[in-house]
Amino acid sequence: MLLEIENVTKSYPSADGPVPVLRGVSLSLAAGETLALTGDSGSGKSTLLHLAGGLDAPDGGRVLIEGEDIAHYDDRRRARLRRETVSVIFQQFNLIPSLDVGANIAFQARLAGRHDPAWARDLAERLGLAAHLSKYPEQLSGGQQQRVAIGRTLAARPRLVLADEPTGNLDEGTGAEVAAVMRDLVTATGAGLLVVTHSRSLADRMGRRMELRGGRAL
Amino acid sequence: MIRAGLSALLSHWRRRPFQLLTLVLGLATATALWSGVQAINAEARASYDEAAAVLAGPALDTVERAAGGTIAVEEWLALRRAGWQVSPVIEGRLARHDLAILGIDPFTLPPDAIPGEDDGAAFDAGFLTGPGQILVAPETAQALRGADLPPRIEVEGIPPGTAYADIATARALLGQDGFARLFVTGPPSLGAPPLERIAPELERRAPRASGGDVARLTDSFHLNLTAFGLLSFAVGLFIVRGAIALAFEQRRPVFRTLRALGLPRATLAGLLAVELLVLALVSGALGVALGWLVASLLIPDVAATLRGLYGAEVSGSLSLRPSWWLSGVGIAVAGTALAGAASLWRIYRLPILAPAQPRAWARAGARAAWAQGAGAVACAGVALVAGFAFDGLVAGFVLLGAALLAAALALPLALDAGLAILSRSARGPRAEWFWADTRQQVPGLSLALMALLLALAANVGVGTMVSSFRLTFTGWLDQRLASELYVRAETPAQAAALTDWLGPRTREILPIQSTDTPLAGTPGEVFGVAARSPTYRDHWPLIAQAPEVWDRVAAGEAVLVNEQLARRDGLWPGAEIEIAGWPTEVAGVYSDYGNPLPQALVGLDRYRALFPESVALNFGIRVAPDETAALIRGMTDEVGIAREAISDQASIKAFSLGIFERTFTVTAALNVLTLSVAGLAILTSLLTVASMRQPQLAPVWALGLSRAALARLELLRAVLLAALTFVLALPVGLLLAWILLDVINVEAFGWRLPMRVFPLDWLALAGLSLVAAALAALLPAIRLRRMPPARLLQVFANER
């Protein structure tokens, strides 16, 4: 199994004491599978995605990626996991503003030491970015910027792609278009895709769907 | 991974060349001011060491008169005959050529004690025969071109302003008979009687320490320069700190993305440290080159100051010293590390999921304001302890530094409080927004404003000190230079002819005799003066006196001492002092600005009894002012006095004031440079903050305030903040002036000056700082005025 989350709990501190966000959630995702994680604001979707990506550690339970528990990884091993195995697509795109589109797409692959210029070019073509490679992120529309972020993720050939509200900053038409490209390209590479979204139409495009409410899976 | 990470980090600078320029310029300027001062100090110290090595000889013991004064030829001969290996030295100064003469005996002095002798280049037979020769440094030979002196031989390694001559040549040039000291060039022969039996008034002394008296005397001057250099460096570091913090904060989202994409935290921090190191090395090298330029421009004035104040000869040009280059780059690296440490630490500790808020740094700065307040209180505590519990120059500088740091750290809180009070006067939404927004800007601009506060306080403080000094010194000169003419005879015979000739033509002739002799255990000078003369009684500026002071001095019952000696050893009226074996009482204390040596004034009769070998060659002449021209003509034509040996009161005053002005040329230049650096700090802070102001300004623009109005308000805000900073800097500057005049000066020079205030100077400085702030704000304001609406709309189109 590519990703297994077993009975994880997580709370955040507040002035009134710890606020539980996840209260024992479990899920699994196989390679090539797509899963939409939906729920109201504050239901714990993004927290669960952060735990799956090794961006944060759970208070209890286990997070296994390819069978290995990452809960107790130190910073260096978590960084390596994000570099080589898991990749995250953010709502805010999080491109590097001082690098042009071409360099942004190649960036994570270079970081992981497996940059393939032909594959990056191919991705740029498929994402409709070939004419924009020498532009900077600020010169692109929101939809184009999210395509660059998808390209950056896929260029590194991760085995698990996590997307946090990838269409949240886009209008409906652009969002649908970006979502289709993302799903098609991810599944074509054989990677697993876990998408956190409010969007019903985006959730409908995924192979499976799971809803969180009050920190629990429904 | 490292290459990819580094390329992402460095790409920030490619896209923001101005910010890179700010950082490099800030660091380079800071390094330039520091290393420039260090270059001057290093050059001066090298000159002192060179001079001390020459004057003190090659670590040879000396024989000197215990009570001060010269050694007679007969005493030297008696020692030689008794089997003592001693070599005589004559020392003196040719005032008209501003040249120190060192007369040596090449037959009895070891060869390695003679400059250039080890490589055979020093001198030939002409040195010993005929009119003789003098050995001088090439630059001194240049300065002496055309002078009426024996032929010059150029020898490297002789300090500037010094000439070596055979002892007979030196004796003829200086008109001296006795020797200043004798070098002990070897052990006495077997059976030679001890020194005290041959010449009981002479004593054997160990070699003088390297650096010599000159270095000791000038230490305080160099400490002052170093302190100023350090202050300038600190002001420059504020720019660097601001630029680094801003560059880090602007890249915070990038750092987060890099971490999210798998760059380990330690690697990210390491790459940023390498980036800073490279920037520090490049800027440091640039700064050292700029420092070289600053030092080259300032060193002629420093050399003139040191010559005028201390008689210390310093080369007027700079030498390239590798240690100086290395220390300049080193201080740039250390400064960058200091300025960047907090930012690096924050990045290292940054949680990967921390929101990438623009201007989070400013809010963090606001939170840190209270911590800064606590720091200010702690620094003020250190200043109080240093001021009240400790004495000495170091304690004085600790007091100075801690007081300045306390003021700088307290500035953001003080500004916030001032703005809060001013905001109560706000009428209408626009004014309310303006005050609220201005308060919000303070954390972001606080580093630049702190730099401005330090620069303004330094300007007020040093300006007050210099102007107080100038006013006091001018009045003091008017009092003390009472004689209309001052003349120096070349020989005792000429002095006798001169006094005979002057007798019927003047109101009064005042002989001025002096001898170098230890006072209270350290080298000093004793003057013999005609204390009965009303000229002294009416004009000599006394700051403490016993009853009938002048009568007692004239009768040879008591002496006057200068303020330096009185303060150093507590020798106030009524105290006892011994001069050349004569125990006496201090009857008065006089101001003696600019003189680093302890000094005593003795009645002429007593002086002649104490120093019978001393000859009166200098005279003050009282004459009606309209008769001075005729008298000068007569002295040159009829007595044969050289024209350059006669000085009138006005020219001596002009000369003294000239020395004084040059003394402060260096501080004035550093003052201006520091203020310029502070102006640069404001400019760079405003420009960089401007780029992050869009989200704050766009909503106000959308609500109906035009871009032109916003630009005007931005300009007004900068001027207002500069004005408030000036108001706060003024008391800090006056405190600084008080510390300089009442603590540092007394510790460093031994005299205290009354503090005067100069409100017109403050007005000029306030005007200058407001203009600097307005100029600094002009470019960001123009950019805002011209900003296309589409860019302001981006704030609403995209979450930033």
Side-chain angles (χ1 to χ4, degrees):
Chain A
M1 190 59 67
L2 180 61
L3 169 68
E4 290 169 274
I5 294 178
E6 295 175 357
N7 201 26
V8 294
T9 57
K10 179 78 183 172
S11 356
Y12 289 114
S14 79
D16 303 322
V19 177
V21 180
L22 293 175
R23 304 163 188 258
V25 178
S26 300
L27 67 80
S28 61
L29 184 72
E33 201 181 357
T34 57
L35 170 64
L37 205 54
T38 60
D40 297 336
S41 295
S43 61
K45 309 184 296 291
S46 291
T47 302
L48 193 62
L49 183 129
H50 293 154
L51 297 180
L55 294 166
D56 206 351
D59 297 338
R62 297 201 307 166
V63 177
L64 296 99
I65 291 180
E66 295 180 325
E68 206 169 325
D69 188 355
I70 65 165
H72 306 296
Y73 273 19
D74 62 10
D75 182 68
R76 191 164 282 275
R77 287 188 76 186
R78 281 169 190 277
R80 190 168 160 192
L81 177 80
R82 292 194 299 273
R83 212 163 50 235
E84 296 175 356
T85 310
V86 184
S87 186
V88 186
I89 298 168
F90 297 95
Q91 181 180 359
Q92 314 288 354
F93 322 136
N94 283 358
L95 301 178
I96 296 172
S98 47
L99 295 180
D100 64 23
V101 168
N104 262 292
I105 290 175
F107 187 75
Q108 190 170 9
R110 288 177 61 209
L111 214 53
R114 49 182 181 228
H115 176 43
D116 178 351
W119 170 231
R121 260 197 313 276
D122 186 33
L123 276 173
E125 287 282 350
R126 290 208 232 171
L127 288 162
L129 295 167
H132 306 291
L133 289 176
S134 57
K135 288 183 180 170
Y136 284 89
E138 67 194 33
Q139 296 169 292
L140 302 181
S141 69
Q144 287 170 323
Q145 288 190 47
Q146 194 58 296
R147 284 162 188 262
V148 177
I150 293 167
R152 177 177 69 188
T153 291
L154 296 178
R157 298 182 194 271
R159 292 195 283 284
L160 174 62
V161 176
L162 305 171
D164 190 2
E165 300 281 7
T167 58
N169 269 347
L170 308 175
D171 63 63
E172 201 172 330
T174 310
E177 189 191 326
V178 166
V181 171
M182 180 176 67
R183 188 202 57 196
D184 294 349
L185 281 173
V186 171
T187 48
T189 60
L193 172 63
L194 173 63
V195 178
V196 163
T197 183
H198 276 116
S199 162
R200 185 180 297 272
S201 64
L202 175 57
D204 289 345
R205 288 171 187 274
M206 299 300 128
R208 279 198 295 138
R209 180 173 169 171
M210 180 178 158
E211 189 173 348
L212 289 184
R213 188 174 298 165
R216 290 195 173 87
L218 292 181
Chain B
M1 177 175 71
I2 287 177
R3 267 184 65 187
L6 203 56
S7 73
L9 293 175
L10 294 181
S11 64
H12 172 82
W13 301 112
R14 259 204 319 275
R15 298 273 287 161
R16 288 189 162 81
F18 183 79
Q19 199 177 356
L20 178 64
L21 186 71
T22 303
L23 186 57
V24 171
L25 263 184
L27 194 52
T29 319
T31 310
L33 293 175
W34 167 260
S35 60
V37 165
Q38 291 311 309
I40 291 169
N41 283 348
E43 192 62 43
R45 293 219 168 91
S47 294
Y48 305 152
D49 287 344
E50 214 171 50
V54 169
L55 296 173
L60 293 177
D61 281 7
T62 56
V63 171
E64 296 177 36
R65 184 167 296 284
T70 56
I71 299 170
V73 177
E74 292 73 28
E75 288 174 302
W76 169 58
L77 287 173
L79 281 169
R80 295 286 300 184
R81 283 193 205 106
W84 277 74
Q85 296 187 52
V86 284
S87 179
V89 177
I90 285 184
E91 287 171 2
R93 195 164 188 85
L94 285 181
R96 65 178 188 277
H97 297 299
D98 200 13
L99 186 67
I101 301 285
L102 196 71
I104 53 169
D105 176 17
F107 294 112
T108 53
L109 199 61
D112 61 355
I114 305 167
E117 179 62 359
D118 46 349
D119 60 6
F123 51 78
D124 52 26
F127 188 75
L128 306 167
T129 56
Q133 293 170 339
I134 56 173
L135 310 183
V136 290
E139 58 197 274
T140 313
Q142 186 80 10
L144 292 175
R145 187 168 289 173
D148 177 24
L149 286 169
R152 272 73 79 186
I153 306 294
E154 293 182 18
V155 177
E156 294 286 352
I158 293 183
T162 301
Y164 270 72
D166 174 61
I167 203 150
T169 312
R171 184 182 286 180
L173 285 169
L174 297 169
Q176 287 180 12
D177 286 330
F179 304 128
R181 54 201 159 110
L182 309 174
F183 279 129
V184 180
T185 58
S189 56
L190 276 174
L195 180 64
E196 55 268 25
R197 201 182 308 155
I198 312 165
E201 291 178 359
L202 302 184
E203 66 178 20
R204 183 171 179 161
R205 290 181 184 166
R208 292 179 188 182
S210 177
D213 295 340
V214 174
R216 187 174 54 76
L217 292 174
T218 52
D219 265 355
S220 54
F221 178 81
H222 291 295
L223 191 60
N224 272 309
L225 265 189
T226 304
F228 222 116
L230 202 57
L231 178 67
S232 307
F233 184 69
V235 169
L237 277 194
F238 276 102
I239 304 180
V240 179
R241 169 88 184 85
I244 290 176
L246 188 67
F248 274 36
E249 294 298 333
Q250 280 179 336
R251 289 187 290 177
R252 188 188 274 250
V254 173
F255 298 154
R256 195 185 70 157
T257 303
L258 288 174
R259 294 280 313 280
L261 295 181
L263 194 68
R265 172 167 57 185
T267 309
L268 175 63
L271 289 176
L272 286 168
V274 169
E275 177 192 85
L276 286 182
L277 179 67
V278 171
L279 279 169
L281 290 174
V282 171
S283 313
L286 187 65
V288 170
L290 275 172
W292 170 264
L293 190 68
V294 169
S296 303
L297 293 174
L298 292 181
I299 201 157
D301 284 322
V302 173
T305 298
L306 290 167
R307 191 181 306 121
L309 268 182
Y310 304 102
E313 289 297 340
V314 171
S315 169
S317 58
L318 279 177
S319 313
L320 276 171
R321 293 174 203 283
S323 59
W324 171 69
W325 280 90
L326 283 176
S327 73
V329 174
I331 193 96
V333 172
T336 309
L338 193 70
S343 296
L344 264 180
W345 179 245
R346 236 188 279 175
I347 292 305
Y348 190 76
R349 304 274 299 167
L350 181 74
I352 195 167
L353 292 173
Q357 299 165 322
R359 289 192 46 75
W361 63 287
R363 279 196 286 279
R367 281 196 301 276
W370 287 106
Q372 280 188 12
V377 171
C379 286
V382 170
L384 285 174
V385 171
F388 288 106
F390 294 97
D391 289 326
L393 203 55
V394 173
F397 277 110
V398 170
L399 164 64
L400 190 84
L404 280 177
L405 203 57
L409 287 173
L411 180 72
L413 281 179
L415 279 177
D416 192 60
L419 288 169
I421 293 168
L422 287 171
S423 65
R424 286 186 203 143
S425 66
R427 297 283 174 272
R430 183 191 290 209
E432 281 168 16
W433 170 78
F434 175 78
W435 290 112
D437 192 53
T438 303
R439 283 183 74 182
Q440 200 190 353
Q441 295 311 304
V442 169
L445 294 172
S446 64
L447 281 172
L449 293 173
M450 283 176 180
L452 181 66
L453 176 99
L454 287 181
L456 288 173
N459 254 282
V460 170
V462 176
T464 303
M465 179 189 77
V466 172
S467 298
S468 296
F469 196 0
R470 183 181 288 121
L471 213 60
T472 309
F473 188 64
T474 312
W476 174 77
L477 271 182
D478 284 341
Q479 265 191 311
R480 185 141 164 192
L481 291 176
S483 296
E484 283 71 23
L485 289 173
Y486 292 85
V487 59
R488 177 177 169 81
E490 287 287 317
T491 61
Q494 192 180 48
L498 178 69
T499 48
D500 286 347
W501 187 85
L502 284 171
R505 296 174 173 84
T506 56
R507 277 197 281 138
E508 200 175 12
I509 306 167
L510 302 167
I512 304 165
Q513 286 180 255
S514 69
T515 300
D516 291 346
T517 190
L519 287 174
T522 57
E525 47 192 2
V526 175
F527 276 74
V529 296
R532 284 196 181 81
S533 161
T535 300
Y536 287 102
R537 292 166 185 251
D538 297 344
H539 294 282
W540 204 259
L542 295 180
I543 56 172
Q545 55 186 296
E548 299 173 341
V549 52
W550 286 105
D551 289 339
R552 295 184 62 205
V553 173
E557 295 167 4
V559 297
L560 301 173
V561 297
N562 65 356
E563 186 184 353
Q564 290 82 316
L565 179 56
R567 286 195 191 281
R568 196 193 66 188
D569 292 305
L571 295 175
W572 296 95
E576 289 190 356
I577 185 173
E578 188 177 302
I579 296 176
W582 171 51
T584 184
E585 186 188 317
V586 174
V589 177
Y590 56 93
S591 311
D592 194 16
Y593 303 124
N595 180 10
L597 290 175
Q599 195 183 81
L601 240 59
V602 179
L604 206 51
D605 297 339
R606 172 63 73 174
Y607 177 88
R608 285 173 178 157
L610 286 172
F611 307 103
E613 72 282 10
S614 172
V615 182
L617 295 174
N618 291 299
F619 302 92
I621 301 169
R622 301 304 314 270
V623 64
D626 56 346
E627 292 173 13
T628 55
L631 204 66
I632 291 170
R633 256 197 317 278
M635 282 192 284
T636 52
D637 296 349
E638 295 179 38
V639 191
I641 300 284
R643 178 62 187 86
E644 57 267 29
I646 306 170
S647 308
D648 61 82
Q649 192 188 70
S651 59
I652 293 179
K653 272 184 195 165
F655 176 72
S656 302
L657 285 172
I659 289 174
F660 172 84
E661 295 297 343
R662 292 193 82 170
T663 302
F664 290 103
T665 306
V666 183
T667 28
L670 286 174
N671 236 340
V672 170
L673 285 173
T674 309
L675 196 59
S676 312
V677 172
L680 186 69
I682 299 178
L683 171 69
T684 53
S685 292
L686 286 174
L687 280 174
T688 43
V689 165
S691 65
M692 306 169 84
R693 292 272 288 145
Q694 258 168 273
Q696 294 153 11
L697 296 176
V700 191
W701 166 76
L703 292 174
L705 216 61
S706 70
R707 285 170 296 162
L710 283 172
R712 279 197 298 276
L713 287 175
E714 291 290 286
L715 209 57
L716 179 65
R717 187 191 329 276
V719 172
L720 175 80
L721 286 174
L724 279 176
T725 305
F726 179 82
V727 169
L728 295 168
L730 191 56
V732 180
L734 292 176
L735 175 70
L736 179 64
W738 176 80
I739 296 171
L740 285 170
L741 289 169
D742 242 54
V743 182
I744 303 280
N745 251 343
V746 177
E747 295 292 348
F749 301 114
W751 27 263
R752 175 171 287 157
L753 287 166
M755 183 168 150
R756 319 275 180 97
V757 290
F758 304 88
L760 283 178
D761 289 356
W762 304 342
L763 271 181
L765 185 62
L768 194 66
S769 61
L770 297 190
V771 169
L775 283 176
L778 198 60
L779 189 59
I782 290 173
R783 279 189 184 171
L784 176 60
R785 169 76 182 77
R786 292 181 180 165
M787 186 176 286
R791 274 194 60 196
L792 285 162
L793 283 171
Q794 278 175 358
V795 171
F796 310 111
N798 262 325
E799 199 184 322
R800 287 166 65 86

